[in-house]
Amino acid sequence: MTSPATTAGAPARADVDVVLIGGGIMSATLGTLLQQLEPSWSIRIYERLDDVAQESSNPWNNAGTGHAALCELNYTPERKDGSIDISKAVTINEQFEVSRELWQHLVASGRLKDDSFLSRTPHMTFVRGEKNVDYLRRRYEALGKHPLFRDLEFSTDRSAIQQWAPLLTQDRDPDEAVAATRATSGTDVDFGNLTRQMIDGLVGGGAQLRTEHEITSLKKTKDGRWRLRVKDRSWNADRRHHTVTAKFVFVGAGGGALPLLQSAGIPEIKGFGGFPISGEFLRTSNPEVVARHQAKVYGKADVGAPPMSVPHLDTRVIDGKQYLMFGPYAGFSPKYLKKGKYLGLITSLRLHNLTSMLGAGLKNLDLTQYLVGQLAAAPETKFHALQQFMPTAHPKDWERITAGQRVQVIKRDSDGKGVLQFGTEIVAASDGTIAGLLGASPGASTAASAMVDVLEKCFPFRFTKWRPELATVMPSLDGGVPADVSGISSAGTAVPESAFVHPDGVLDAAVYESQADSRV
């Protein structure tokens, strides 16, 4: 492996070619791509906990939606003139298609054991009140013009909505204006299952996995390598600390990525900060309740609520068992990881990001007010939020679970102050030897596109050679017609490519290409 920053010259010696920090979906995806593109490269994964997929990729720490912008209203904002901006929704939908194309390839080639991580689950949006009904109608009309959203349905008819999701309409005030959209091509994704399968495939292909090993610092050496200080957290370790050198490092450590990139000292991280947000969900496994709701239903966020706090009532399929989950309820913890240190926020503060952090705080006082309100809310008040979705909900059927820790990216804006960045952000050194991912939603669902971006940023001289192979795996990367990957194997076993065909047939290539100007 030659240095990503050079095209010629003898490569520096290193213990390993590629180090992936964090055993989540991002590291698993990047490692999988690199192992296919450069099978001779050595890859090592370091995970600080005793197993992979225990933080953001754990199925109970995320919504598992398979974000495709089919139901999430924050991806289709209303412009000042009343029109609906669908550009972000189209982008996210395309990115999720790329992820599904990769997963299809891995299942078909045997690198994933099966497709049990993916379940067909309709995606719905449900709103109340005349103003919101009007907005949802205009959103439906705008999205319906794009072929990627061709199966989206809209209705204000309670009988139709009742057929789609009975718990939304039962015992609801008959005079209340309601509306819903539904996309039957939606999915539920168990990212924990998927991550474990991908890392099993990596290890089977020769990669090394080190659990209970924490990277505590990174330093660039004179010859262009990275020296990583590793702490062995296992109880019977012979020695607690050692170092490893690598030619390329990817920091896929979720909320832990920011302090590690700061430790690396790359100038590209200057100005970046992070605001941690915790939360809770309500969950039920009562079979009588679960059987009456087969959908992911997103509503409209409260004023000041961050996108990750949009309320939703979701069917979840975890390890083959169905649940319902409602939330999230926002909270606050200074930790950057659910199983991290309480000083996470404090220790991430630097002179170069204080202005960003303070500026973002002043610009988002409504968010602060929202968080304070959530923290102060009584349990009865929180449960009432569920009853607005599901009037028949009863407390005896539900339990509270703690959600994963999310870190909202804060970065400098054009005026030199800070702004909250809702989404994900790739931060890469100019020489391409290290990169990391910051941020939250849509996160895992767009992992394939995000990791292709990492490859392009960090390996520009090799990427031209890699792109044709990547395009055979993920046709959408080159602007082609997305592969039809919506079929689901109900048995959860390895499936042939034909099993992924969309139930409504393939996209018409001419129609899709005619919409190129609206695709971002």
Side-chain angles (χ1 to χ4, degrees), residues 26 56 67 75 254-255 275 277 307-308 405-409 421-425 437-446:
M26 295 298 176
S56 296
H67 283 284
Y75 298 143
F275 185 78
I277 299 177
M308 67 179 66
Q405 196 75 353
R406 299 292 184 265
V407 179
Q408 292 291 150
V409 177
Q421 180 79 7
F422 294 110
T424 50
E425 184 93 15
L437 192 77
L438 305 176
S441 179
S445 299
T446 60

Side-chain angles (χ1 to χ4, degrees), residues 60-393:
W60 293 123
N61 288 343
N62 60 67
T65 304
H67 283 284
L70 298 169
C71 57
E72 305 95 332
L73 298 183
N74 51 297
Y75 298 143
T76 50
E78 184 176 2
R79 299 187 181 99
K80 291 182 179 180
D81 64 1
S83 61
I84 306 299
D85 182 359
I86 69 168
S87 58
K88 189 171 184 178
V90 172
T91 297
I92 290 172
N93 192 286
E94 290 177 334
Q95 290 172 337
F96 184 54
E97 289 299 316
V98 171
S99 291
R100 290 200 289 183
E101 288 170 350
L102 174 62
W103 302 339
Q104 169 190 325
H105 166 77
L106 295 175
V107 170
S109 63
R111 297 190 65 184
L112 290 180
K113 181 180 64 175
D114 56 43
D115 70 331
S116 58
F117 57 87
L118 197 62
S119 302
R120 173 69 58 76
T121 306
H123 284 199
M124 293 180 59
T125 306
F126 180 73
V127 298
R128 301 173 295 117
E130 294 290 352
K131 183 177 179 180
N132 290 333
V133 169
D134 176 62
Y135 162 77
L136 191 63
R137 179 183 288 107
R138 286 181 285 119
R139 176 185 184 271
Y140 162 73
E141 292 170 350
L143 287 174
K145 296 175 183 177
H146 197 284
L148 288 176
F149 297 88
R150 66 196 183 282
D151 74 330
L152 195 64
E153 304 170 78
F154 171 84
S155 183
T156 57
D157 184 346
R158 285 182 180 242
S159 60
I161 298 172
Q162 183 173 1
Q163 289 183 343
W164 296 348
L167 296 182
L168 299 179
T169 58
Q170 186 176 355
D171 288 355
R172 185 172 296 281
D173 181 356
D175 296 326
E176 183 180 37
V178 296
T181 57
R182 180 179 70 157
T184 57
S185 60
T187 58
D188 176 69
V189 186
D190 180 345
F191 284 107
N193 179 340
L194 174 60
T195 300
R196 289 191 296 272
Q197 287 199 47
M198 293 182 82
I199 290 182
D200 284 347
L202 275 168
V203 173
Q208 299 173 331
L209 172 64
R210 299 284 189 269
T211 57
E212 295 188 282
H213 282 70
E214 180 179 8
I215 306 300
T216 59
S217 65
L218 304 92
K219 183 178 181 181
K220 189 76 171 288
T221 63
K222 292 181 179 179
D223 59 9
R225 299 175 301 164
W226 285 97
R227 181 178 292 115
L228 292 77
R229 183 170 173 80
V230 186
K231 179 180 180 180
D232 189 338
R233 295 164 55 92
S234 59
W235 69 273
N236 60 345
D238 291 335
R239 54 193 177 97
R240 289 295 173 189
H241 294 90
H242 65 279
T243 60
V244 61
T245 56
K247 298 176 186 175
F248 173 73
V249 176
F250 174 70
V251 186
L258 176 61
L260 285 172
L261 290 170
Q262 289 175 333
S263 171
I266 58 174
E268 291 79 8
I269 198 62
K270 289 185 177 180
F272 278 93
F275 185 78
I277 299 177
S278 63
E280 291 182 336
F281 282 93
L282 293 175
R283 178 178 67 188
T284 180
S285 58
N286 183 329
E288 294 182 3
V289 178
V290 172
R292 301 190 64 206
H293 184 86
Q294 299 292 319
K296 287 182 175 291
V297 184
Y298 272 57
K300 209 167 190 302
D302 293 334
V303 175
M308 67 179 66
S309 294
V310 175
H312 44 95
L313 179 62
D314 290 358
T315 294
R316 295 303 319 273
V317 184
I318 308 298
D319 295 329
K321 183 176 179 180
Q322 289 194 4
Y323 303 81
L324 291 188
M325 190 163 72
F326 178 79
Y329 300 97
F332 175 75
S333 167
K335 296 193 294 185
Y336 272 0
L337 293 166
K338 186 175 180 179
K339 298 181 180 180
K341 300 175 181 177
Y342 281 97
L343 293 178
L345 174 60
I346 300 299
T347 56
S348 74
L349 296 178
R350 301 286 190 279
L351 288 175
H352 61 71
N353 67 13
L354 277 176
T355 302
S356 303
M357 299 281 280
L358 292 173
L362 292 173
K363 290 180 180 179
N364 293 274
L365 293 176
D366 54 349
L367 172 58
T368 303
Q369 182 180 3
Y370 169 80
L371 290 175
V372 171
Q374 287 272 292
L375 289 170
E380 296 80 8
T381 302
K382 292 183 176 181
F383 197 80
H384 180 64
L386 168 59
Q387 291 175 321
Q388 291 180 322
F389 265 73
M390 176 186 167
T392 58

